[in-house]
Amino acid sequence: MKRATNQQTLISTVFDAAKRATESLTHLVPDLDRDRAEYAVASVLLDEAWVAQR
């Protein structure tokens, strides 16, 4: 159960970081699709976290 909690915490943290990054990016590129950008950033961060845990 602890692993599931750690994964949930990681996912929440990643999406919080992705949201902040997307907000910064949309200041530079106002036409950027926020949802797609946030998902893309979160995907990369989760992939990196997964690789780091191996």
Side-chain angles (χ1 to χ4, degrees):
M1 189 67 166
K2 179 141 175 110
R3 182 177 177 151
T5 302
N6 288 341
Q7 287 178 343
Q8 289 171 338
T9 300
L10 174 63
I11 291 168
S12 294
T13 302
V14 162
F15 272 95
D16 286 343
K19 184 175 184 175
R20 288 192 307 273
T22 301
E23 288 172 359
S24 294
L25 286 172
T26 54
H27 287 296
L28 299 172
V29 185
D31 294 339
L32 190 67
D33 182 328
R34 284 176 166 260
D35 291 335
R36 284 185 172 194
E38 185 176 333
Y39 182 78
V41 172
S43 295
V44 169
L45 292 174
L46 285 173
D47 189 49
E48 290 297 318
W50 179 76
V51 168
Q53 290 178 353
R54 290 175 75 193

